[in-house]
């Protein structure tokens, strides 16, 4: 994608705005935190909404086909809160053959905490050296065959829902993301999804195969019924056989 991005860096004393040259890939890495493996909350990250490009009729080599999408009745986004549990249980239970000094990582299906390791129901033969809510890394202090037990507590997960109604009838869309952990995040995602589903019209057409465009670009598309109509290109095929050609699938933004 050829675009320019303004990056915001925030620390305890200043906000720095930077302009970058054209780029194809951006990676964000947080390297300095108060404690290792901290959970990072990215409050806001934005690119320019619209690419400075208009798909006009001379760029199209076929008439756009408008496709009416399935009617959506409502959008539901759950948010999850995690509460501590007072019931200890076996999270890992299996037969193992190990050598003293060996280190193994075991993954936990559900978010958990408070790990305790036993070999043949005896503590002290293995040590927890690293852990998160979804894994535990164990260093074994003895050699032999044992029954491994990793005990701990599963978090109780409580669901609340953000709901946006769109139509009196139609399909209900439910988006689940375990990282949505408060109602503010759920409401923002529900509003964003509602905006996506409001239009409900897709366009398909052949083009001259402009390689400058990428999937996910938001561009203006010429339309005799809607001035300044914006579309999100989510499928863009480019072919080259002595000349460029292509095909675009785009979704209208807004009503």
């Amino acid at each position: 994608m050829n675009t320019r991005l303004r990056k915001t860096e925030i620390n305890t004393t200043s906000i720095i705005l930077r302009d970058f040259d054209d780029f194809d890939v951006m990676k964000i890495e947080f390297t300095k935190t108060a404690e290792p493996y901290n959970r990072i909350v990215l409050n806001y990250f934005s690119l320019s909404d619209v690419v400075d490009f208009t798909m006009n009729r001379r760029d199209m080599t076929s008439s756009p086909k408008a496709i009416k999408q399935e009617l959506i009745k409502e959008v539901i986004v759950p948010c999850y809160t995690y509460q501590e549990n007072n019931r200890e249980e076996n999270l890992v239970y299996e037969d193992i053959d190990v050598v003293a000094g060996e280190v193994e990582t075991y993954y936990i299906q559900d978010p958990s905490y408070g790990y305790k390791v036993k070999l043949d129901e005896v503590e002290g033969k293995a040590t927890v050296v690293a852990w998160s809510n979804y894994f535990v890394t164990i260093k074994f202090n003895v050699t032999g065959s044992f029954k491994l037990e990793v005990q701990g507590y599963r978090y109780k997960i409580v669901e609340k829902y953000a709901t946006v109604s769109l139509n009196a009838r139609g399909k209900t869309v439910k988006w689940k993301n375990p990282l949505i952990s408060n109602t503010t995040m759920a409401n923002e995602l529900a509003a964003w999804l509602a905006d996506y589903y409001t239009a409900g019209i897709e366009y398909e057409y052949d083009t001259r195969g402009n390689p400058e465009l990428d999937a996910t670009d938001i561009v203006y598309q010429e339309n005799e019924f809607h001035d300044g109509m914006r579309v999100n290109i989510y499928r863009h095929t480019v072919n080259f056989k002595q000349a460029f050609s292509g095909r675009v699938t785009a979704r209208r933004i807004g009503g």
Side-chain angles (χ1 to χ4, degrees), residues 17-222:
L17 299 178
R18 293 184 178 175
D19 285 325
F20 290 89
D21 292 331
D22 293 344
F23 64 92
D24 293 318
V25 176
M26 168 167 277
K27 295 182 180 179
I28 301 174
E29 183 178 13
F30 299 91
T31 58
K32 295 181 180 179
T33 58
E35 296 178 7
Y37 305 111
N38 272 4
R39 181 174 180 177
I40 301 296
V41 178
L42 184 60
N43 291 320
Y44 185 74
F45 183 85
S46 177
L47 298 172
S48 296
D49 287 341
V50 183
V51 175
D52 187 17
F53 182 89
T54 298
M55 182 72 72
N56 54 44
R57 293 184 182 182
R58 70 169 178 267
D59 296 313
M60 305 175 188
T61 57
S62 69
S63 298
K65 179 172 68 173
I67 305 170
K68 182 70 175 177
Q69 301 300 292
E70 185 176 4
L71 199 64
I72 303 299
K73 179 181 178 180
E74 61 183 358
V75 175
I76 299 175
V77 176
C79 71
Y80 306 89
T81 57
Y82 298 86
Q83 299 177 356
E84 292 189 352
N85 191 345
N86 58 8
R87 185 169 69 90
E88 189 177 48
E89 56 185 299
N90 280 337
L91 304 173
V92 178
Y93 187 81
E94 60 182 69
D95 295 323
I96 58 170
D97 295 308
V98 294
V99 177
E102 183 178 346
V103 177
E104 291 287 345
T105 297
Y106 297 87
Y107 293 93
I108 313 299
Q109 182 175 359
D110 300 313
S112 307
Y113 66 99
Y115 303 116
K116 183 169 55 179
V117 183
K118 293 181 180 180
L119 297 180
D120 289 344
E121 300 185 350
V122 177
E123 293 187 60
K125 294 183 178 181
T127 306
V128 175
V129 295
W131 66 276
S132 82
N133 298 131
Y134 291 94
F135 77 85
V136 57
T137 300
I138 300 169
K139 181 178 181 180
F140 296 97
N141 304 323
V142 293
T143 299
S145 299
F146 304 94
K147 285 192 177 296
L148 169 67
E149 295 175 81
V150 177
Q151 298 177 337
Y153 302 88
R154 300 181 197 268
Y155 281 104
K156 293 180 180 179
I157 303 175
V158 179
E159 290 189 23
K160 296 181 181 180
Y161 301 96
T163 303
V164 178
S165 298
L166 299 180
N167 297 287
R169 57 186 177 83
K171 184 176 72 172
T172 295
V173 175
K174 187 174 183 179
W175 281 66
K176 294 183 178 182
N177 186 333
L179 296 179
I180 303 298
S181 56
N182 59 59
T183 54
T184 300
M185 297 169 66
N187 285 324
E188 289 176 350
L189 179 56
W192 183 86
L193 291 169
D195 184 62
Y196 172 81
Y197 285 113
T198 295
I201 296 180
E202 289 181 357
Y203 297 93
E204 289 184 353
Y205 47 86
D206 296 322
T207 72
R208 300 184 187 279
N210 190 334
E212 183 182 13
L213 294 177
D214 283 323
T216 74
D217 280 351
I218 298 175
V219 303
Y220 295 104
Q221 181 175 301
E222 185 177 358

